Amino acid sequence: QVQLVESGGGWAQAGGSLRLSCAASGRTFSNYAMGWFRQAPGKEREFVATISWSGGSTYYRVSVKGRFTISRDNAKNTVYLQMNSLKPEDTAVYYCAAGRTYFSNTYYSGISEYDYWGQGTQVTVSS
């Protein structure tokens, strides 16, 4: 069992920045690929970014590439999402997720590939 707790959400103006954190507890954090997803009101949950358990491989949805950066600190059992140049369309509840993997450079972009989810943190970007 892995427990995930997100923090760092809040309000930002368009063009601003926020940094989300996701603290994990329970099973060995380094055995999990980690991902960030988001869900806006009335829309389905969508993939944002993912990172392998080694931290050596990352993947982003096209609309955030170059603006968002995912990273992890296995010693602190924490994964981060640095969000720069925020846009109103980034407004959503952001969730982190953990997916078990046996390979150091594996990452996942599908919701069904993740085993554990956090409770979410709200990000609101105003124009």
Side-chain angles (χ1 to χ4, degrees):
Q1 196 77 346
V2 175
Q3 293 79 41
L4 302 172
V5 179
E6 301 97 336
S7 61
W11 176 88
Q13 281 193 322
S17 299
L18 286 172
R19 188 194 195 203
L20 305 183
S21 299
C22 174
S25 60
R27 292 185 178 269
T28 305
F29 179 67
S30 60
N31 289 341
Y32 289 83
M34 299 298 295
W36 286 97
F37 290 75
R38 66 188 181 188
Q39 187 167 16
K43 295 187 176 181
E44 294 187 351
R45 190 170 299 190
E46 64 182 20
F47 164 76
V48 176
T50 180
I51 188 167
S52 62
W53 69 252
S54 71
S57 298
T58 58
Y59 181 67
Y60 300 88
R61 74 178 295 108
V62 171
S63 62
V64 308
K65 196 171 184 180
R67 299 189 297 120
F68 291 9
T69 302
I70 188 171
S71 62
R72 66 190 294 163
D73 185 339
N74 288 343
K76 295 183 178 179
N77 287 356
T78 302
V79 62
Y80 306 97
L81 186 68
Q82 177 67 44
M83 304 185 295
N84 299 329
S85 302
L86 283 163
K87 304 176 180 180
E89 51 263 44
D90 294 320
T91 295
V93 177
Y94 282 72
Y95 299 89
C96 74
R100 186 73 167 89
T101 176
Y102 297 96
F103 304 102
S104 63
N105 285 318
T106 295
Y107 54 72
Y108 303 125
S109 60
I111 290 175
S112 63
E113 294 171 304
Y114 286 89
D115 304 300
Y116 303 101
W117 294 82
Q119 82 291 348
T121 186
Q122 176 70 46
V123 171
T124 303
V125 183
S126 63
S127 57

